[in-house]
Amino acid sequence: MKGPWLAIAILGLAVLFAVFCLIALARAHSVRYLPKWAWFVIICLSIPWGGLIFLIIGRGTASVEWEPPSPGGAPPGDRAMGSASPASGNGGAPARHFPANALVGAHGGARAVEVRRLVKHYGRLSAVDDLSFTVQPGHVTGFLGPNGAGKTTTMRLILGLATPTSGETLIGGRRYRDIARPLHEVGSLLDANAVQGSRTAWSHLLAIARSNRISPHRVHEVLELVGLTAVAGKRVGGFSLGMRQRLGLAAALLADPPVLMFDEPVNGLDPEGVRWIRDLLKTMAAQGRTILISSHLMSEMALTADHLIIIGRGRLLADTSVEAFVASSTRRDVLVRSPRAGELAALLSASGGTVRPEQDGGLAVTGMAAPAIGDLAAGAGIAVHHLAPRQASLEDAYLDLTAGSTDYAAGRQAPEPAVSR
C-alpha cells in the first residue's frame, strides 16, 4: 500500500510546485527568453521540470505590476498601462515641480561631507593629492576642476567605491561603509548608464526601493517628480541619455536623503530639464540638505551653485562663495562707447587709464572708474553713448585660476584648412 500512497504524495507535491510556479509567473513583471504564455504551457505540460526551469532562467523581476496613476492623483489601477503615451526626447511629460514640503522625509537633519587630507595614487599617478575640504549643509556646492583634476575620483572615494591611499572621507561624521542604510543618508548619481537595460524604469526603481525598505508608493512619487511616469513601463535600454539621467536622479531621491552628490547632473537634459533640476537643487539646499555637484558648465554653475570647491591636479585651488570668487578676479574694466572714440581714448590714456579697442568700436578701459571716465569726457565736451562697468564672469575667473592646472588644453588657434594637391 505504501507504493500508491507515495506516488500520490509525490504527484501532489509536483502539482503544488507547479501552482507555485504559475503564481510566480503571474506576478512577474517581466520574464526572460519566452513570452508568458509559452512559460505557462511549459509549466503545465512538464510538471515539475518546466516550473523548475522557469524559476532558474525564466523569471524576471517579480513585483507588483506598474500602472500609471490616473489624472488628479487617483491611486494606481484606474487606468491601463497601455494608455500611457510614449515619451520623446528627455522623458515625455515635464518634470513635476514639487512644493518644498513634498521633499522633506523622515530622514532629515544636517550632514556635512568632510574630506580630510585625502590621497589616492594609481601606480605613479597621483589622482588626489592631500585634498581637504568640507561641504556644508544648506548650500549648492559646485565641485569644479579641469579634466583629470580628480573630481570623479574624489566623489568615488567619498561614496566608498574606491579605497584612498591615505586620508579619510566622512558623511555626517561617519565613513560611508559604516552607514547602516546608506541610501537613506546619501543619494548619488555618477554614471547614468550604470543600469540594466533589460529592466523597466519601474522595476529598476522598485528593486532599489525594496532592497532599502522603501515603500513602492515612493517609486510612483519619484517617477512623477522626474517626469518619467509615462515611460515607467518601458525598458531602460531604449531610453535616451536624458531619460537615463532622469532615472538616475529618481534613484538618488528614492529615500529622500539629506545628502546628494551628482556628477554632471544636467548631462543630456533638454532646457526644461536643466531648469527643473536647477530649481530642485536650490529648493533642497534651502531645506538644509548638503548638495555637491560636479560640472564643467560654468554658465550653469553660475546660476545654480552658491559655493565653490575648485581643484586642479588633485589639489585644492579654491573653497569660497561664488560671489567672492568672481569678485576676486582681476578681469574688470569699463566699456565706453562714443562717436569720438579716438579723441576719448587719447584723453583717457593721458589721464592714466589703459584703453583697449573692442571689435565693435567700443573702448575697454582699465585703471579708471566709470564716474571718473564720465566726468573726464563731459569736461572735454565729448559725448558718451554707453558707459558700463564690467566684471569677470565665473568662467573667466575659473579659467584664470586653473590656467596652470590644465593637463589637456586645446590649441588656441584654429587649424589651418587642408590644401588639396
Side-chain angles (χ1 to χ4, degrees), residues 127-208:
V128 180
D129 187 5
D130 196 25
L131 182 62
S132 297
F133 61 82
T134 300
V135 184
Q136 297 289 354
H139 300 283
V140 178
T141 300
F143 194 29
L144 310 180
N147 290 333
K151 302 184 301 298
T152 300
T153 298
T154 301
M155 298 179 88
R156 287 176 55 84
L157 291 168
I158 294 172
L159 295 171
L161 298 175
T163 303
T165 303
S166 63
E168 64 177 353
T169 62
L170 302 174
I171 301 173
R174 294 177 293 171
R175 293 177 297 178
Y176 185 86
R177 67 182 183 183
D178 294 334
I179 300 175
R181 294 194 295 173
L183 194 62
H184 291 261
E185 300 288 334
V186 186
S188 62
L189 175 60
L190 301 188
D191 183 4
N193 291 316
V195 59
Q196 187 177 353
S198 62
R199 284 187 172 184
T200 65
W202 166 260
S203 60
H204 169 70
L205 294 177
L206 184 64
I208 297 174

Side-chain angles (χ1 to χ4, degrees), residues 318-387:
D319 184 351
T320 181
S321 68
V322 174
E323 294 80 3
F325 179 65
V326 173
S328 67
S329 173
T330 57
R331 293 197 192 189
R332 300 178 188 175
D333 59 21
V334 178
L335 178 62
V336 186
R337 301 186 194 279
S338 171
R340 297 162 60 184
E343 296 177 50
L344 181 58
L347 182 62
L348 292 171
S349 297
S351 300
T354 301
V355 181
R356 187 185 75 254
E358 299 270 296
Q359 291 183 352
D360 60 358
L363 302 176
V365 184
T366 56
M368 295 183 68
I373 296 173
D375 292 343
L376 188 64
I382 299 176
V384 173
H385 293 171
H386 184 87
L387 180 64

Side-chain angles (χ1 to χ4, degrees), residues 98-100 103 278-289 291:
F98 271 29
L103 294 166
R278 182 196 309 150
D279 294 342
L280 180 69
L281 292 174
K282 289 183 176 181
T283 298
M284 291 188 294
Q287 296 169 356
R289 299 174 196 251
I291 300 174

Side-chain angles (χ1 to χ4, degrees), residues 13-26:
L13 289 174
V15 172
L16 288 175
F17 178 71
V19 171
F20 168 79
C21 293
L22 289 174
I23 294 174
L25 174 64

Side-chain angles (χ1 to χ4, degrees), residues 39-62:
W39 281 116
F40 178 83
V41 173
I42 292 173
I43 293 171
C44 292
L45 296 182
S46 302
I47 298 176
W49 308 114
L52 186 62
I53 293 173
F54 166 71
L55 293 179
I56 294 175
I57 68 171
R59 184 168 57 173
T61 303

